[in-house]
Amino acid sequence: MGYWKDIVLGGWSLIEGMKVTGRALFKPVVTVQYPRKRLEMSPAYRGHIEFKIFPETGTHGCIACGTCQRVCPSNVIKVQGVKAHARSGKIATHYVIDFTRCSLCGLCVESCPTQTLKFSTEFELAGDSRWDGVVDLVLRMEESRS
Amino acid sequence: MEATATSGAFWLRLIVGLVIVLAFSQLNALFLVWLERKVAGHIQVRLGPMEVGPHGLLQTIVDGIKLVGKELITPSRADRKLYALAPVLVFMPVLVAFLVLPFGPNLIIRDMNVGLLLIFAFSTFSVLAILVGGWASNNKYALLGAIRSVAQAVAYEIPLLLSVMSVVLMVNSFRFSELVMAQQRIWFVFLQPVAAIIYFICATAETNRAPFDIPEAESELVAGFHTEYSGMRFGLFFLAEYTNMFIVCAVATSLFLGGWHGPFGFSFKIPGVVWFLAKTYVLLFVLMWFRWTFPRVRFDQLMNFSWKVLIPLSMLNLVITALVLKIV
């Protein structure tokens, strides 16, 4: 009697499948018409890293200590800083990250002593050359402010 | 003379019919391609075409223009005559089938007493066209796709005809108007549910629709028999597929769903042609629903399903129908 059972059960499974797709037909769509409509990015989204801007100082808090540079397993961070005068701390002048080789492990964000690093919500990262993935965060911050 | 008068009306009917059929088959294909993409989109919880025209309504027209603009490529060492003939051959039976479809009580171009037979006889031509197209392309994938398609069509034609035969036995006629008139009070889908289901499964297979889209199986055979076709030649295959879909659904409507009749003898003052088209497009929607629900069957599954399940069941159904008709 396996023959009839196969037909009935198989037929029923087809109807079950059609129920699933039939319900999906009336669900609200989840896609948006992208270039014109954008979704709010989740705060958990991990784009490339970015400077946090602290409201007290109005700028980032990077002291160019190089912890992130040392902790980075992919070796993609290069930080340069200067001392304004002999007894002050360093301030970053260049913070270059090669995002094309970043593995998004987040060690830099975790290890930052001044907590000035965060993940950006940048997702439109298409570029024409591999140098388009190399970002200077200091420059980027200044550009975004102006 | 009476003969000339009837022949004049006859030719007028034929010419008007041809014009309507040509226009209708194009519009139908335009609409179905759009609907297919919309249904696909909404089943996958996305929108489908939205850019050209309101809700993408003009999308298929733009696609058509793109197809016309493309170069017609003939592969080297292809059989040129057959290669060019196949797209025409695939579209010809489609036009013939429209001759006998009963759109309404007075909307049959030719109400032949072999109407149903004519449709099934000519629908075999599309199989031939697929074989010719695949063979003439000088491409192994196209040939394999064509061969598989023919095996499939042969396998599924048998239960298709057997299931239709049980309806024909009940009405005692191949004439579409009589088949529809017999369903004035009760549709045959209630009297012959097994035949109706088998017919619809086989119709899906005959039109090469998923889950039986073996001939074009893009993941296994590139695109099957129309791999080498470009531009409007490919477009004709596509057009024929969508018009074929309409035809099998129209035949299903007139055989099992009461044709131009409303349910249980109520017509609700709606013209018959509206009933007919509404039922047909509901069936077409179900075909699309199938396509975006079921995964493609493997070739051995395809053959097993037809030879081990559909043919015995439809045969049994036919024998039982004959016995019941003889006894009652």
Side-chain angles (χ1 to χ4, degrees):
Chain A
M1 277 292 110
Y3 178 77
W4 296 101
K5 204 176 153 193
D6 274 358
I7 293 176
V8 172
L9 287 184
W12 183 249
S13 79
L14 294 182
I15 294 171
E16 287 283 338
M18 290 188 61
K19 275 202 253 174
V20 172
T21 44
R23 270 195 303 259
L25 200 59
F26 296 104
K27 274 185 192 158
V29 292
V30 293
T31 54
V32 292
Q33 295 298 91
Y34 162 62
R36 264 165 270 128
K37 278 187 196 160
R38 280 146 205 266
L39 294 172
E40 193 69 28
M41 292 304 287
S42 152
Y45 183 80
R46 287 184 166 200
H48 61 72
I49 51 171
E50 200 177 45
F51 280 145
K52 232 182 262 176
I53 293 174
F54 296 98
E56 312 90 74
T57 56
T59 180
H60 63 87
C62 182
I63 51 172
C65 64
T67 312
C68 45
Q69 190 176 321
R70 263 174 275 125
V71 84
C72 180
S74 316
N75 244 331
V76 298
I77 302 175
K78 296 281 172 290
V79 199
Q80 277 178 12
V82 288
K83 281 187 167 187
H85 50 89
R87 297 171 76 186
S88 70
K90 275 209 258 180
I91 296 174
T93 51
H94 292 284
Y95 191 111
V96 182
I97 166 173
D98 182 0
F99 189 60
T100 55
R101 292 192 291 131
C102 172
S103 56
L104 289 163
C105 64
L107 286 176
C108 45
V109 177
E110 277 168 39
S111 65
C112 182
T114 55
Q115 269 137 40
T116 194
L117 286 178
K118 66 170 185 188
F119 287 110
S120 68
T121 52
E122 186 68 59
F123 60 93
E124 294 157 308
L125 291 162
D128 299 324
S129 120
R130 61 202 164 102
W131 298 109
D132 290 348
V134 179
V135 196
D136 187 335
L137 296 190
V138 178
L139 216 70
R140 187 182 144 84
M141 193 190 74
E142 276 160 12
E143 271 169 13
S144 70
R145 283 158 136 198
S146 59
Chain B
M1 291 283 279
E2 205 179 309
T4 49
T6 47
S7 81
F10 168 81
W11 283 110
L12 188 70
R13 206 180 171 88
L14 222 53
I15 290 165
V16 170
L18 187 65
V19 171
I20 291 175
V21 161
L22 278 174
F24 181 79
S25 59
Q26 311 293 316
L27 282 177
N28 172 62
L30 279 182
F31 174 68
L32 281 185
V33 171
W34 173 80
L35 187 70
E36 172 103 58
R37 296 177 64 177
K38 274 300 192 197
V39 169
H42 282 277
I43 278 179
Q44 294 165 351
V45 203
R46 56 183 177 84
L47 283 164
M50 285 293 278
E51 295 297 313
V52 195
H55 275 264
L57 263 173
L58 302 177
Q59 183 71 51
T60 13
I61 296 172
V62 177
D63 285 345
I65 292 169
K66 184 199 78 179
L67 273 180
V68 171
K70 282 197 170 183
E71 186 189 354
L72 294 176
I73 296 165
T74 309
S76 67
R77 277 189 283 158
D79 193 325
R80 284 176 169 273
K81 276 178 202 154
L82 288 183
Y83 182 80
L85 185 69
V88 185
L89 206 58
V90 80
F91 202 69
M92 185 267 292
V94 164
L95 293 178
V96 175
F98 269 103
L99 270 181
V100 290
L101 282 180
F103 287 90
N106 295 313
L107 273 173
I108 315 174
I109 302 174
R110 288 283 282 145
D111 191 16
M112 293 185 198
N113 55 2
V114 287
L116 194 58
L117 270 183
L118 184 88
I119 285 192
F120 289 125
F122 272 90
S123 72
T124 343
F125 264 97
S126 63
V127 184
L128 181 70
I130 285 176
L131 184 63
V132 165
W135 187 80
S137 289
N138 187 25
N139 176 323
K140 288 186 186 73
Y141 290 113
L143 183 60
L144 277 173
I147 290 172
R148 277 159 52 128
S149 171
V150 171
Q152 174 186 339
V154 168
Y156 279 82
E157 196 101 342
I158 301 166
L160 182 85
L161 294 176
L162 285 175
S163 62
V164 166
M165 274 313 290
S166 47
V167 174
V168 171
L169 272 186
M170 291 176 76
V171 184
N172 241 333
S173 171
F174 281 110
R175 190 188 286 269
F176 265 111
S177 56
E178 281 173 34
L179 283 164
V180 175
M181 285 313 285
Q183 303 176 67
Q184 193 144 27
R185 250 177 258 128
I186 186 155
W187 297 354
F188 282 146
V189 69
F190 300 113
L191 301 177
Q192 290 280 2
V194 179
I197 292 169
I198 291 175
Y199 174 84
F200 206 56
I201 294 172
C202 296
T204 318
E206 281 289 304
T207 46
N208 300 328
R209 296 278 301 173
F212 305 108
D213 54 348
I214 290 290
E216 37 182 296
E218 64 268 30
S219 51
E220 304 140 65
L221 289 176
V222 193
F225 66 93
H226 56 55
T227 305
E228 296 288 352
Y229 281 93
S230 66
M232 219 41 221
R233 283 176 181 166
F234 166 77
L236 270 181
F237 277 117
F238 215 63
L239 205 62
E241 177 180 324
Y242 277 93
T243 320
N244 265 328
M245 273 168 72
F246 179 85
I247 289 167
V248 293
C249 288
V251 171
T253 304
S254 42
L255 286 185
F256 297 106
L257 295 180
W260 63 73
H261 293 303
F264 306 108
F266 303 112
S267 70
F268 302 108
K269 299 228 168 102
I270 297 170
V273 60
V274 177
W275 274 116
F276 185 85
L277 287 178
K279 288 174 198 169
T280 308
Y281 278 104
V282 166
L283 286 183
L284 282 166
F285 169 74
V286 175
L287 270 186
M288 290 172 186
W289 194 356
F290 281 171
R291 173 163 178 186
W292 298 102
T293 305
F294 304 137
R296 181 181 305 132
V297 293
R298 226 167 43 219
F299 196 66
D300 58 316
Q301 292 171 334
L302 178 92
M303 284 292 141
N304 278 340
F305 186 56
S306 174
W307 292 101
K308 288 186 183 166
V309 178
L310 290 181
I311 294 182
L313 279 186
S314 54
M315 199 89 90
L316 198 68
N317 189 54
L318 183 64
V319 169
I320 290 173
T321 310
L323 282 178
V324 169
L325 283 175
K326 198 74 189 164
I327 291 164
V328 176

